[in-house]
Amino acid sequence: MATPHANPTDSTAPDAHIGVDAPLLPADVASNAALGAPAFSPLYQQIKSLILRSLQAGEWKPGDMIPSEFDLAARFRVSQGTVRKAIDELATDNLLVRRQGKGTFVATHAEQHIQYRFLRLLPDASSLEAQGPAERRIIECRRLRAPAEVARQLDLRTGDALFQVKRVLAFSGTQAILEDIWLPGAAFKGLTLETLSSDKGPMYALFEAQFGVRMVRAVEKLKAVAADADAAALLGVEVGHPLLSVERLAYTYNDVPMELRRGLYRTETRHYHNELS
Amino acid sequence: MATPHANPTDSTAPDAHIGVDAPLLPADVASNAALGAPAFSPLYQQIKSLILRSLQAGEWKPGDMIPSEFDLAARFRVSQGTVRKAIDELATDNLLVRRQGKGTFVATHAEQHIQYRFLRLLPDASSLEAQGPAERRIIECRRLRAPAEVARQLDLRTGDALFQVKRVLAFSGTQAILEDIWLPGAAFKGLTLETLSSDKGPMYALFEAQFGVRMVRAVEKLKAVAADADAAALLGVEVGHPLLSVERLAYTYNDVPMELRRGLYRTETRHYHNELS
DNA sequence: CAGTGGTCTAGACCACACT
DNA sequence: GTGTGGTCTAGACCACTGC
């Protein structure tokens, strides 16, 4: 047995099963140990990794329904409860979404009626005033070679191909956000200003559809800064005006960084919302 | 049965139990329904509420070990698995802390070696440079009557008694944070500048020890603002300098607001760290 | 050693959604 | 009705902690 945990073939079980359907681990799971990983982990963690691997490999795409817990249990030769626990964790990580009566689905940035899942800027007036969809204007989209600092954060080498996108978001006619976005050239081959401009949904939904890149988590660093001439002009404020600087590093599956983004937010009538616990 | 869920006394069970130890719900749980709450909830949610009630009532204090899962299961007349699921959720909410082999404990802001659990300001240099403990200087601690806006956020009436505390935090000799804190007078009776000044640990740990008030979650609103004369003087920056404004509303058990806090952070060499998922 | 949380299984039944 | 996730139980055994 690959794990040190209980296993129902133990002869001490009061209602001993015949050995026939003994839940031996399948090759997939056993290879986990054979792969040179000396660390034993609980079965459900191994199942979690296997599901993650399928997500990563694109076996199930964003929005797809994955097999039922029962099917997965059969496939991995474990009990439904074990699969359930694996899926539970993937669901709390927002990689999967459970819908009672329907099935379990791969999370997606599209068709989530909360338009921008990673955007935390909300109107101050609390806040049934649903801020209408942002108006977006792409300012430029160009190729360049990675500067050292950007390369470091994206796990690339200095000089590697990169896309840079610059855009402004506005709410009800007033500019609110100026963003600079850096993307690895290899993963986003063929990105153009036209593609970006013609798209209507969230940018991360486009990344899923066009490039098969799904952003699953991100880390942000916030600072208060003074607007420089460039930012002031694009956001319609005077030079020196306080802006909220939001530097975001976004990751795909398995903690691979795939986007660096620097936003400058106007916060006169909006705020960055955060919940602590 | 108070819930519409399965129950092992069903006669169809292959190894039918005698009715004697039928897991009927205890008075506590049953009263949940009798209390006029028409909404049925899963058993483990009811157990969760009961545990929460005990926490709130102070039956187990911060740092205490609560009864074992087995004991609680017996007390509530449910299976260990159901108690386990209730505790699982309370643990992910950071109300309880599980320690294998030892027990389950009430979470506390004291003796958590992560000194300030709600403070997200980190040094930019990433960041084994453990920023030494903050130097704290209380500027004032006074009683006042609640202005309308503060009263609204703290669920008080305008004019109710309030404490206001003003302090400055510094790291390695440089002022970094200016905070204004408002606390309901009723819950913090006897708070003095001396108490606050002589304390060494996190303020929230003092609140637990002195006033039995445990902060469990908080909501923050961030903006970029320009330093006014007062803030500039206390933080050692020039007027107009960009500062990160952090307005925090902190809650005890059951979503009762107990503190309003407005911080102004200098972010030249530090940043507010946030993780999205 | 005993006591605690952690993992795993097997099986029953409920609630929900679609057909 | 059928199939899905959601709840609940009972019991076994493992892993860690401290006496």
Side-chain angles (χ1 to χ4, degrees), chain B residues 4-6 10 12 68-69 84 98 100-101 103-104:
Chain B
H5 293 293
D10 293 333
T12 56
S68 73
E69 296 177 353
R84 186 169 184 75
R98 321 186 80 132
Q100 180 167 157
T104 301

Side-chain angles (χ1 to χ4, degrees), chain A residues 195-215:
Chain A
T195 319
L196 290 167
S197 299
S198 62
D199 185 62
K200 300 185 64 112
M203 189 177 283
Y204 287 168
L206 180 138
F207 289 174
E208 289 176 2
Q210 298 289 313
F211 305 98
V213 174
R214 165 154 173 79
M215 303 300 185

Side-chain angles (χ1 to χ4, degrees), chain B residues 2 16 25 31 53 60 105 114 145 149 158 162 179 181 196-198:
Chain B
L25 291 177
S31 72
R53 202 176 301 175
W60 312 306
F105 300 79
I114 307 110
R145 303 209 157 271
E149 179 54 19
T158 304
L162 218 62
E179 281 182 325
I181 303 171
L196 289 167
S197 299
S198 63

Side-chain angles (χ1 to χ4, degrees), chain A residues 4 40 114 191 222:
Chain A
F40 288 106
I114 307 109
L191 183 72
L222 281 68

